[in-house]
Amino acid sequence: MNLQWQEFLAARAAPGSEAAHPADDDPSARCTVCDLSHLGLIRVTGEDAMTFLQGQLTNDIRRVTETHTQLSGHCSPKGRLLAIFHVMRMGDAVYLQLPRELVPGILARLRMFVLRSRVEVTDVSDDLIRLGAAGIRAADILSSGGLAVPAQPNEMATTNGVMVVRLPGAIPRFQITGGFDAVARLWSVFAPEATLAAADVWALHDIRAGIPTVCATTADAFVPQMVNMQLIDGVSFTKGCYTGQEVVARMQYLGKLKRRMYYAAVDASTPPRPGDELHSALSTSEQASGRVVDARAASPGRYELLAVVEKEVAAAGDARLGEDGPVLRFSDPPYGFPAET
């Protein structure tokens, strides 16, 4: 974490009282704010930056502008996701946001592909401060702080060097990215009426929105279609070649997707973790019938999660955490699935 930001947070009383879970129907959750220092940020600059990224990411990087952001994956040659980025642009710089734990490995991997390209790939996780805000009052508070507020998911507005991105979800949710002074001032704007939320709450909002995350325990485990990237504008099938593209395209046009990502809930005494295996007596696979993508507590003993699982197993509702653990309750993600022919 940025040391100056760390000291700033430590020296001030947090806005409101800390929220353990995002109770959307609770009046006290009219606005929650979350420090997003658990996320890392890679900046890509240089004359060849866009061409370089076009050859590395699953989505069409040319569609990223100063008013439009996107999700995009970075794959192995076998078409398995090594990371999922939230891609933003300000001026000539493109920013790739991902879990901070993945930054060193992904940074080294991207630099390995630079070769003679005029590109600079830099870890700026501590250079820019990121803050999350969610709730029915979030947009009004941002406006009162003098910031332009985007109206649609994945849109971005920039005011005096501060980027505000609207994120998908059932309630209004925004990410603010900027320099220390600007974000510290905004923190004081939120303080009178916002509740501080832990990082797990922010992750739970992503889970409820059906937005996948790749972490260290799930890297190289899923092709993009398994985590619904084609349904949330996270992969382009017309952009041309990129690392792993042949496998991803073959799955889309010639293969049959047997596993996909569902939202699920489970009552458990032990928290489910990303990468945990799911098992079913109905599965005919030699592998586990599914795997947890991400999971967070929604209330004591109750967890919400995203899980990649065999479609037949999910339809039957017959998947357990581990070989003899509790049964998961599946439902479609909020964006649904296309009709199958």
Side-chain angles (χ1 to χ4, degrees):
M1 179 190 292
N2 178 291
L3 181 59
Q4 188 179 17
W5 179 244
Q6 186 176 20
E7 292 174 346
F8 174 87
L9 295 180
R12 287 159 177 80
S17 58
E18 184 163 332
H21 311 290
D24 300 335
D25 56 351
D26 186 343
S28 68
R30 289 166 59 85
C31 183
T32 57
V33 294
C34 179
D35 169 37
L36 301 181
S37 297
H38 62 285
L39 300 175
L41 199 64
I42 295 173
R43 182 178 63 206
V44 184
T45 55
E47 185 176 341
D48 298 331
M50 299 299 285
T51 302
F52 168 74
L53 289 173
Q54 190 75 341
Q56 296 301 320
L57 306 187
T58 61
N59 215 339
D60 191 341
I61 197 69
R62 296 169 298 186
R63 296 182 60 242
V64 178
T65 68
E66 291 192 286
T67 59
H68 178 73
T69 71
Q70 67 178 205
L71 292 178
S72 194
H74 179 53
C75 293
S76 71
K78 294 183 178 180
R80 301 271 170 163
L81 285 164
L82 302 175
I84 294 175
F85 302 130
H86 188 181
V87 186
M88 303 169 282
R89 182 174 182 178
M90 186 164 65
D92 294 330
V94 178
Y95 294 93
L96 312 176
Q97 183 171 275
L98 68 164
R100 187 181 281 255
E101 65 176 358
L102 295 182
V103 168
I106 294 298
L107 191 69
R109 182 176 177 83
L110 289 175
R111 286 173 173 169
M112 180 178 68
F113 287 107
V114 168
L115 301 176
R116 294 184 178 87
S117 299
R118 288 161 290 189
V119 175
E120 185 174 353
V121 185
T122 311
D123 179 4
V124 293
S125 302
D126 291 333
D127 294 355
L128 293 174
I129 308 301
R130 275 143 297 139
L131 190 68
I136 59 175
R137 286 281 297 142
D140 289 340
I141 296 174
L142 286 168
S143 293
S144 70
L147 296 179
V149 180
Q152 299 297 324
N154 295 321
E155 285 186 355
M156 186 175 85
T158 303
T159 307
N160 297 324
V162 177
M163 298 181 285
V164 177
V165 178
R166 188 171 191 132
L167 301 175
I171 64 172
R173 190 162 64 111
F174 304 90
Q175 177 177 310
I176 303 99
T177 303
F180 170 80
D181 291 339
V183 179
R185 182 188 63 81
L186 187 62
W187 183 272
S188 65
V189 175
F190 277 106
E193 59 178 305
T195 301
L196 179 66
D200 279 357
V201 172
W202 196 252
L204 188 50
H205 281 302
D206 279 339
I207 288 170
R208 291 176 174 177
I211 305 301
T213 297
V214 168
C215 63
T217 55
T218 57
D220 209 20
F222 309 119
V223 298
Q225 292 96 325
M226 287 184 184
V227 292
N228 304 342
M229 289 285 279
Q230 78 281 15
L231 304 180
I232 54 175
D233 191 26
V235 57
S236 168
F237 298 105
T238 59
K239 58 164 285 184
C241 294
Y242 57 88
T243 302
Q245 181 264 342
E246 290 185 3
V247 176
V248 177
R250 190 181 308 121
M251 171 64 73
Q252 186 69 16
Y253 296 117
L254 301 177
K256 182 178 181 181
L257 188 64
K258 298 180 180 179
R259 298 169 183 242
R260 62 187 179 188
M261 188 178 73
Y262 295 83
Y263 166 86
V266 66
D267 300 317
S269 57
T270 301
R273 303 293 185 190
D276 284 356
E277 291 185 347
L278 307 180
H279 292 268
S280 172
L282 300 179
S283 176
T284 58
S285 173
E286 295 181 358
Q287 305 173 355
S289 60
R291 190 177 296 272
V292 174
V293 176
D294 201 3
R296 294 294 188 274
S299 59
R302 180 179 179 274
Y303 300 89
E304 297 180 30
L305 60 151
L306 296 174
V308 170
V309 67
E310 295 174 63
K311 292 190 288 187
E312 292 79 4
V313 168
D318 186 63
R320 296 178 178 272
L321 282 173
E323 294 186 356
D324 55 1
V327 176
L328 279 68
R329 303 181 294 276
F330 291 104
S331 59
D332 292 355
Y335 41 80
F337 294 118
E340 296 186 338
T341 57

